[in-house]
Amino acid sequence: MIDLTKLQVDQFVNIYSCTKSVSSALIGIAIEEEHISGVNETMVDLFENRTIANLDSRKQAVTLQHLLTMQSGIDWDEWPYGPTSSFTYM
């Protein structure tokens, strides 16, 4: 267990899934303030001024809801960080 009272300003701490909670709260605020219409908005529409690499129908279908629930349907290697990786020990 990390003693949070002894952390230094330049010290990294792995917060794992905390980012999902913060992101969800910020998305809720953005919807409430009408910056985003809702969770069914596609990511392509949210980033309409960006060039998306290898854009295909799968990427065009991904919504904010998919990302918030970690269910985009796009395959990726979820386990690049094994128990001995530097990420795990960061």
Side-chain angles (χ1 to χ4, degrees), residues 75-88:
D75 290 334
W76 67 289
D77 184 6
E78 189 170 350
W79 302 108
Y81 311 112
T84 59
S85 76
S86 58
F87 177 82
T88 304

Side-chain angles (χ1 to χ4, degrees), residues 5 27 34 36 45 48 51 53-54 56 63 67 73 78-79 89:
T5 63
I27 294 300
E34 299 180 354
I36 298 173
D45 289 340
E48 61 187 20
T51 301
N54 305 312
D56 60 18
T63 65
L67 296 184
E78 189 170 350
W79 302 108
Y89 289 104

